[in-house]
Amino acid sequence: MKKNRILFTFLVLAVFFSSCNNKSDEYIDPRGPDYAGSESCIQCHQTQYDMALKSAHFKATAPAISGNVLGDFDEKNHTFIYDKDTKIVMEKRNDSLYQVLYKNGKEVEAHRFEIVFGTKHAQTSVYWRDNNTYELPLSYYNAINSWATSPGFPADKPYFDRKVVRDCYACHSSNISSRNVNQNPDEVNFLSAEVEDVIDKKTIVYGIDCERCHGPAKKHAEFHLKNPHVKVANSIVSYKTLNRQQKLDACALCHSGNDGMKMKSRFDYKLGDNLSEFYRSTRNPNDTTFDVHGNQFRLMSQSKCFIKSEKMDCITCHNPHENASKNLASYSKICMSCHQGLKHNATTLKTMSGSLLANNCVECHMPKKMSNAIKFQISNSKEMSNYILRTHKIGIYPAK
Ligand code: HEC
Ligand code: HEC
Ligand code: HEC
Ligand code: HEC
Ligand code: HEC
Ligand code: HEC
Ligand code: HEC
């Protein structure tokens, strides 16, 4: 008992000292002094910056201020009914947005949108509670222009307790520092069973920024500021000089699923590192059930194009600073750069003329597929709705 009290005093002191160290309110880049921040790249890389600013990568996480949050807050379409007594209403109060739970017409709890994840197909949001973030029970889906249950959330009762852990941020942000509440494990290990990570609110670096992909670039920026006549890049990892696996790893870091073995935090990965020291898929590479959500790398790896060309990577088709093009014909040109003189058989040609076919490679060979990982339910519905993305397994599929 007495021992516990001494240990408790230690803990209080530890917490006190650690909070003294970070008590200033100024912004701290949790990545340390080697990082310059995206804004410092503008003056020399305006083109890349302008593109990236509008990209889904840059917006992968953002503060939930109006303008960043999708969905209706004051129209008809802002209520989700769980049952005749229970509903959640999306509400704007002063400058903040909330999901408010009502039971029999009375407000029970209200949670504020703090950080949003995503913009393209869906957007989910989190609120802060006790130094951690928790997912709000309703998300917005562009395919239905409406609110529906967050993936995996029940549609018969509201649920506010799903913690959004640092792992989510490792793919959706450039950094967030978390620390173990138990900072001095030797002194306070009697608590270890209950120890949890807490997230440091001030340290989040929103979105996937320049240095998340390119690695720390402060030295690079400083060098070129001092040496404006030097036109050859200094002090930065060059993507061009990487081998194929390193190039693939740069994207596979976040685009090869999350069900494998994690050895080190994704945040510690830098361009040129070997991904298998951080994350390794434990599944058979020939598994036919890789999900269209979040696993473009594994699916692409199963394509003959990838295996036989021995050179295809993500950059073959994507500009890393821009969103995926909506113009599918532009991809057909890329397909045809490897598939010149291609001839479809008579049966295929019957479905479409040769000239139409030429613009539609993707529609037939990378068809849209249902995700098994993500499903959702709309208000007052017993049925699951499907989340649909294009597969990256390029192949021959039966006609629809
Ligand atoms: C004072 C000017 C300056 C600033 C600031 C600057 N760069 Fe550069 N950067 C250059 C020059 C010059 C090159 C070489 C020519 C080129 O590729 O554009 C270069 C090249 C690069 C390359 C290509 C490297 C290669 O060889 O493939 C990357 C990536 C890059 N910079 C990233 C950044 C990032 C990220 C920032 C911000 C943190 C940044 N730069 C800030 C001047 C600058
Ligand atoms: C740090 C994690 C991370 C890395 C590294 C990363 N991505 Fe992404 N990428 C994401 C996330 C998260 C999204 C979804 C963003 C959103 O919609 O909110 C995304 C979205 C995309 C999209 C869809 C954009 C759109 O809406 O059209 C493309 C294409 C893409 N990534 C390609 C790449 C390529 C190519 C690379 C490698 C050069 C890469 N990504 C590296 C995490 C990452
Ligand atoms: C291993 C990396 C990874 C992890 C971990 C991860 N995501 Fe994602 N997430 C992605 C990628 C890549 C995409 C976009 C492409 C896709 O759907 O395949 C995405 C898409 C999304 C989208 C849709 C974005 C849009 O613009 O349509 C949301 C919302 C989202 N993730 C939320 C989360 C949340 C919440 C967590 C944690 C519970 C999480 N993600 C964990 C990689 C990841
Ligand atoms: C999703 C990862 C990703 C992000 C985010 C990203 N880049 Fe890049 N960048 C790349 C890759 C991959 C290449 C190599 C492209 C190639 O070789 O075709 C590249 C190439 C470059 C180059 C060389 C010239 C060129 O355009 O190919 C510069 C300069 C550059 N990036 C600067 C930036 C700056 C500045 C930002 C932030 C505003 C940024 N990048 C954000 C992945 C990224
Ligand atoms: C970097 C070159 C390259 C690119 C780009 C490319 N492919 Fe391929 N593709 C190949 C090679 C090589 C093969 C294997 C040919 C063989 O087996 O002889 C192949 C095979 C195929 C096959 C046969 C698949 C099977 O399972 O039998 C289809 C279909 C195909 N490609 C469609 C496409 C489409 C559609 C695109 C564009 C979205 C594309 N390819 C882009 C190189 C490429
Ligand atoms: C052969 C061309 C090709 C290659 C190679 C390729 N992609 Fe794509 N990607 C596409 C096409 C086509 C789309 C769909 C664009 C659309 O529907 O608007 C797409 C869409 C995406 C999306 C958005 C998903 C969605 O439906 O919104 C992500 C994320 C993505 N690609 C990531 C990657 C990553 C990571 C790699 C490398 C592992 C990669 N892609 C390699 C052609 C390619
Ligand atoms: C209407 C759907 C459709 C469109 C559009 C389409 N394909 Fe195909 N493709 C097929 C079918 C079905 C097959 C298998 C039967 C055949 O060869 O006609 C096939 C076969 C192939 C093959 C394998 C041929 C072989 O000899 O093994 C390649 C490569 C290919 N397509 C590439 C492309 C490219 C590149 C484009 C765009 C220029 C394209 N396809 C457009 C449906 C389509």
Side-chain angles (χ1 to χ4, degrees):
M1 202 53 224
K2 191 172 173 199
K3 195 173 163 213
N4 273 2
R5 211 178 302 140
I6 294 167
L7 289 170
F8 181 71
T9 314
F10 259 115
L11 180 70
V12 169
L13 282 174
V15 170
F16 176 73
F17 282 117
S18 69
S19 63
C20 274
N21 289 337
N22 316 322
K23 77 165 175 251
S24 88
D25 275 344
E26 72 192 52
Y27 176 77
I28 310 157
D29 191 324
R31 297 174 292 187
D34 295 339
Y35 287 79
S38 297
E39 277 172 21
S40 63
C41 319
I42 305 176
Q43 49 183 317
C44 303
H45 301 297
Q46 182 88 43
T47 327
Q48 286 84 2
Y49 185 85
D50 289 347
M51 278 188 217
L53 189 64
K54 289 185 231 124
S55 69
H57 279 140
F58 253 51
K59 297 180 198 157
T61 38
I65 50 175
S66 81
N68 289 345
V69 186
L70 304 176
D72 279 342
F73 282 82
D74 43 25
E75 303 290 322
K76 284 195 209 88
N77 199 357
H78 66 160
T79 304
F80 187 98
I81 313 275
Y82 286 93
D83 60 47
K84 65 181 179 17
D85 306 321
T86 317
K87 64 177 180 184
I88 284 182
V89 185
M90 278 21 90
E91 291 184 16
K92 186 168 186 190
R93 295 179 173 178
N94 299 319
D95 283 337
S96 302
L97 302 165
Y98 292 85
Q99 291 194 5
V100 187
L101 171 64
Y102 290 93
K103 283 223 160 120
N104 300 311
K106 278 211 195 76
E107 177 175 334
V108 182
E109 51 188 308
H111 297 286
R112 192 161 90 151
F113 287 73
E114 300 275 7
I115 297 170
V116 294
F117 282 68
T119 46
K120 192 185 187 186
H121 299 281
Q123 185 174 72
T124 203
S125 305
V126 299
Y127 71 95
W128 284 102
R129 186 170 93 200
D130 306 333
N131 292 314
N132 266 299
T133 53
Y134 290 81
E135 191 163 358
L136 288 167
L138 302 174
S139 292
Y140 191 79
Y141 296 86
N142 290 328
I144 53 167
N145 287 316
S146 181
W147 298 98
T149 55
S150 296
F153 277 61
D156 56 352
K157 57 176 181 302
Y159 183 72
F160 287 99
D161 299 325
R162 184 185 185 207
K163 197 188 277 180
V164 168
V165 293
R166 192 168 183 251
D167 204 32
C168 302
Y169 295 92
C171 289
H172 281 268
S173 78
S174 295
N175 212 313
I176 188 162
S177 66
S178 72
R179 71 197 149 80
N180 218 290
V181 183
N182 181 356
Q183 281 209 313
N184 267 328
D186 296 338
E187 291 168 41
V188 287
N189 59 13
F190 73 101
L191 268 177
S192 60
E194 296 147 47
V195 157
E196 279 192 342
D197 271 357
V198 296
I199 289 179
D200 202 338
K201 203 172 180 172
K202 277 180 289 190
T203 61
I204 180 163
V205 181
Y206 290 107
I208 294 155
D209 73 357
C210 314
E211 289 164 290
R212 180 73 179 108
C213 285
H214 288 292
K218 186 151 190 181
K219 262 202 195 131
H220 164 76
E222 281 173 357
F223 174 88
H224 287 286
L225 280 171
K226 273 197 215 114
N227 303 281
H229 54 283
V230 179
K231 300 293 175 214
V232 180
N234 188 285
S235 304
I236 188 141
V237 181
S238 172
Y239 183 82
K240 292 189 286 269
T241 62
L242 301 178
N243 65 34
R244 189 188 190 199
Q245 193 55 51
Q246 289 171 312
K247 288 182 181 177
L248 289 165
D249 284 357
C251 312
L253 174 65
C254 308
H255 289 277
S256 61
N258 199 28
D259 47 10
M261 232 164 48
K262 269 164 264 186
M263 280 79 78
K264 289 191 229 166
S265 164
R266 283 189 174 84
F267 281 131
D268 297 333
Y269 172 92
K270 295 195 185 61
L271 190 60
D273 285 352
N274 181 348
L275 182 58
S276 66
E277 287 167 16
F278 294 78
Y279 172 77
R280 223 176 281 164
S281 175
T282 43
R283 291 165 66 185
N284 180 338
N286 300 320
D287 194 323
T288 52
T289 61
F290 288 118
D291 204 85
V292 286
H293 162 68
N295 213 341
Q296 289 79 14
F297 171 70
R298 289 274 152 211
L299 289 166
M300 181 183 79
S301 304
Q302 295 181 338
S303 315
K304 276 200 188 148
C305 307
F306 176 84
I307 299 164
K308 298 245 173 122
S309 75
E310 291 176 9
K311 64 173 184 189
M312 178 180 272
D313 59 30
C314 308
I315 303 305
T316 308
C317 298
H318 294 295
N319 177 336
H321 304 131
E322 252 182 337
N323 281 347
S325 168
K326 290 200 181 78
N327 177 359
L328 293 188
S330 67
Y331 293 100
S332 295
K333 291 208 185 83
I334 300 170
C335 309
M336 287 192 294
S337 68
C338 291
H339 291 289
Q340 293 136 345
L342 165 82
K343 284 202 182 60
H344 285 89
N345 67 28
T347 329
T348 311
L349 281 165
K350 239 186 254 165
T351 62
M352 240 183 230
S353 73
S355 58
L356 265 180
L357 214 73
N359 286 325
N360 287 296
C361 315
V362 165
E363 210 59 83
C364 293
H365 292 298
M366 297 178 71
K368 290 190 171 164
K369 296 267 176 194
M370 196 176 94
S371 164
N372 290 311
I374 299 196
K375 294 188 183 334
F376 55 90
Q377 269 170 282
I378 54 177
S379 182
N380 267 325
S381 164
K382 295 271 167 288
E383 275 168 35
M384 285 291 185
S385 297
N386 295 314
Y387 193 75
I388 292 164
L389 296 174
R390 228 169 250 297
T391 180
H392 276 65
K393 183 171 177 177
I394 309 170
I396 296 169
Y397 293 85
K400 274 177 245 157

